[in-house]
Amino acid sequence: MDRRHDGTDSMRDTEPHRLVHTGRRWYLIGWDTGRRDWRTYRVDRVRPRTPTGPRFTPRQAPDVDLADYLSRGVSTAPYRYQARITLHAPARIAAERVPPTVGVIEAVDGYTCLLHTGSHSLDELAIHVVLLGFRFQVHEPPELIAHIRGLAARLTDAVG
């Protein structure tokens, strides 16, 4: 039994693979036999079936780095807008400000990194990246680029 984000229950047959911690929460990564795909489940929302389900042969993991796989799954994939942004900061510094449940940091060189993140709101993405405190460049989505240009114009008009 799995409790969804909205609080409703759903029944899933899952072959559990591994528990992964994001720094804030524990997640179960498992194969959903009904959807025939890998899924992530917040452990605090899972209620095991009693008695337990049938035995199964373990599958090969969907990724070698399950923590990275989980981070991408909860920070980017489920959202309408998926952003790719260069931050002018070393990856280790950016990672101190961006929890793995919010975005995936990918080192480019010693001075810059890529932030992969997502949201249902362009305002939320724009405000979040500004408040990180780094110089940045938005690569995608195009809607975010246009939205930030509009915000910048409105902010400039407000003070000048």
Side-chain angles (χ1 to χ4, degrees):
M1 181 81 64
D2 179 41
R3 195 172 65 250
R4 294 186 179 123
H5 179 260
D6 65 4
T8 61
D9 288 335
S10 69
M11 184 71 90
R12 301 268 181 91
D13 283 325
T14 302
E15 298 172 355
H17 182 74
R18 184 164 298 146
L19 291 173
V20 179
H21 192 256
T22 64
R24 289 182 42 186
R25 292 189 173 101
W26 283 96
Y27 287 84
L28 170 68
I29 296 177
W31 179 260
D32 184 323
T33 59
R35 294 184 180 191
R36 304 184 57 78
D37 197 8
W38 289 97
R39 295 286 191 241
T40 58
Y41 307 92
R42 275 185 40 184
V43 171
D44 63 320
R45 293 182 179 164
V46 173
R47 286 183 294 179
R49 183 174 55 190
T50 305
T52 59
R55 293 190 181 274
F56 59 91
T57 302
R59 298 172 186 272
Q60 184 169 340
D63 197 312
V64 174
D65 184 347
L66 287 178
D68 186 57
Y69 173 83
L70 173 65
S71 187
R72 286 191 315 270
V74 299
S75 68
T76 308
Y79 295 105
R80 177 178 177 187
Y81 301 107
Q82 297 177 4
R84 188 172 55 90
I85 302 166
T86 294
L87 301 178
H88 294 272
R92 65 176 179 73
I93 301 295
E96 292 173 0
R97 297 187 193 177
V98 180
T101 54
V102 173
V104 175
I105 300 293
E106 177 186 334
V108 173
D109 56 36
Y111 307 100
T112 59
C113 59
L114 280 174
L115 168 63
H116 302 271
T117 189
S119 178
H120 292 301
S121 163
L122 293 172
D123 283 326
E124 187 175 281
L125 282 170
I127 290 167
H128 175 71
V129 73
V130 166
L131 292 178
L132 290 175
F134 306 123
R135 287 181 33 248
F136 65 93
Q137 179 181 7
V138 177
H139 304 288
E140 53 190 38
E143 300 95 332
L144 180 59
I145 295 168
H147 191 71
I148 288 175
R149 284 187 178 130
L151 289 172
R154 287 186 6 228
L155 289 167
T156 299
D157 289 345
V159 296

